[in-house]
Amino acid sequence: MTTIDKLLGLVIVILGGLTMFLSALPSTSLRFTKKMRPRRKQVLRPLPAFQKLRRAIGLAIEDGRGVHLSLGKANILQANAASALSGLSTLGRLAQLSIVSDQPPIVTSGSGSLAILSQDTLQSAYRSGSAMAQYRPDLGRMTGPTSFSYVAGTMPIVHREKVYTNILIGNYGPEIALLCEAADRQGTFTIAASDALPAQAVLYATAQEPLIGEEMFAIPAYLKAGNFHRSSIQAQDLLRWVLIITLVVGAVLKLIESLLGSAIL
Amino acid sequence: MKAPVATAIAISVAVILLMGSFLPIPLLQDVLQPYLLACAVIVAGVATLIGIYNLLSVHLGKLNAPKAGNLYSLFLLLAFLVTFIAGLWFTPADAGFQRVVTHIQVPVETSLLAVLAISLTYTSLRLLKKRQDMMAWVFVVSTFVFLIATGGYIGLLLGDVPGLRGFSNFINSLPMAGARGILLGVGLGSLTTGLRIVFGADRPYSG
């Protein structure tokens, strides 16, 4: 990375962090005077996939059937771990919602570290909800360490374990189609998202409700996981505009440079 | 706050790694960052072992459960046991051991790949039945267009028509533009997810 790249990266990180922090503040606690009113609540644009997801989770809880959350096969030490971290945030909220259900959510992952984190997240949610009796370590499972073994190990869960809703969020390859197909045969609801482009293309054709691009990171916010999740969506929107303006300005400058260069020559 | 010590450690490490990526401070880049990453690699290695233990315990539990289809669990446990003992005996670096493992794993994964190819073809054919909106049509038409364009069939079919090469290059660059747009979105989502960890808003380690 050049110095300009690093500087631009630092600016984006600081800007994103500040936006998240400031937009999370007014709705939480910091009001210095009584006259300071909390800001108008940010309204998330309605997305049919998330409305269906909320309904499917509700039906699964009412029906006493389980929700299966797949976290993918991301390595926690690599850049693709962000998708799995988003999945873990979703899991935290999902576990809170499922406390009233007889059937706790089942979580599958393709790496040991994700399996441990999923168990930790479940344990934390059940402890907060004073429902530790429902927690079992085997609810968070590693089903296979390679791409295909992960899918092969997860398919029996979709087939056999009374699953009503499948939430697939994480790093996958095109093999995710097998999982979507298995869920489709069972007649269960499937919402799926991946950070990898080949998987996104495959999911568009195979999943009932595919999420494209950054929509994957919005799932916790739509499940009302907390203020920081809502504010992170706001930060994403702001940063997207910053990037768009930077790209357009860069392209215009490049065009001017080439025009002036050819005029001088 | 839940797990304050773990949260403090996670935030400190995240800040050190983040600063080391952007600021040219030798202590951060040459000493702390490599050390912390080496620690993380060891922890991830141990986590993989725990994950394998988890996998085995789940399948052992299935063997004891009164359900049909537990034969697969038995098969998995036996295969693991044989591979584990052979790996200890011959060591994983042994060429013969590697060849045997590869000759079992590759055909199995290739057969899954074949199933995937059939499954994808079938699902693509069903797509327009499942989704009857404009985007489904756009998806199908663009898939065909780019399959033909990137396959080099335009040049083969039409020969050296003036301006065709430029048009073909333009068509081929369109998916790249779309992919970059999606990747920028994914990048921004990853950034805000990471920032939530840095702020301690997301704590998947606080069990």
Side-chain angles (χ1 to χ4, degrees), chain A residues 89 124 127 142 204 207 232, chain B residues 2 55 130-131 196 202 207:
Chain A
S89 302
S124 169
R127 187 171 288 142
M142 183 176 111
Y204 188 80
S232 69
Chain B
K2 285 183 288 180
L55 180 74
K130 203 159 75 175
R131 277 182 227 281
R196 283 203 303 266
D202 271 359

Side-chain angles (χ1 to χ4, degrees), chain B residues 103-126:
Chain B
H103 278 69
I104 294 170
Q105 195 178 351
V106 169
V108 170
E109 295 207 343
T110 310
S111 58
L112 270 174
L113 200 65
V115 174
L116 176 64
I118 292 166
S119 172
L120 271 179
T121 313
Y122 178 63
T123 321
S124 305
L125 291 173
R126 275 193 326 177

